[in-house]
Amino acid sequence: MTKKAKVPTITEAMVDELAAIRDQLKSLTAREKVLKEAFRANGAGIYAGEFNQIEIVFTSRPQVNMDKVRDLLGAEWIATHSRDVEIMNIRQMELV
């Protein structure tokens, strides 16, 4: 008999911690975007900092045009060959 994992009790502190982490990630992601655009504008190459080195390489890959696939195969075929995948969404709201 397998033991069922105990579900943790969600506390107010956990809610606030998750919100704080998401806010930090949002800020870091925005800064990362600015830096990546600077590297993109400068092009491929090796860039050295005091403690790190970054190599920028541009590649390409094929990407399916899903609008054309839907037009060619039709909604019924797409529905027949699709599957549901569970996704967890987190909506964050600041309490005032």
Side-chain angles (χ1 to χ4, degrees):
M1 180 173 162
T2 57
K3 211 175 196 182
K4 190 173 181 179
K6 184 178 176 187
V7 177
T9 301
I10 302 298
T11 65
E12 288 179 349
M14 291 167 67
V15 171
D16 291 338
E17 181 182 10
L18 179 59
I21 289 170
R22 289 168 57 96
D23 288 343
Q24 290 173 357
L25 285 170
K26 194 181 311 177
S27 176
L28 290 170
T29 300
R31 180 63 182 147
E32 179 190 34
K33 183 178 178 182
V34 169
L35 292 170
K36 286 170 72 174
E37 286 305 315
F39 282 105
R40 178 181 296 284
N42 278 277
I46 296 174
Y47 300 93
E50 188 176 345
F51 303 107
N52 298 284
Q53 176 174 298
I54 294 176
E55 181 177 10
I56 303 298
V57 178
F58 293 93
T59 60
S60 64
R61 66 175 184 207
Q63 185 171 344
V64 175
N65 182 334
M66 287 307 294
D67 290 333
K68 290 205 183 268
V69 169
R70 285 182 195 94
D71 289 345
L72 289 170
L73 298 176
E76 186 178 327
W77 189 94
I78 297 286
T80 304
H81 294 83
S82 296
R83 62 186 169 98
D84 288 335
V85 177
E86 182 180 273
I87 298 170
M88 182 177 80
N89 295 298
I90 299 175
R91 225 177 331 177
Q92 179 178 328
M93 293 156 271
E94 187 172 343
L95 298 176
V96 289

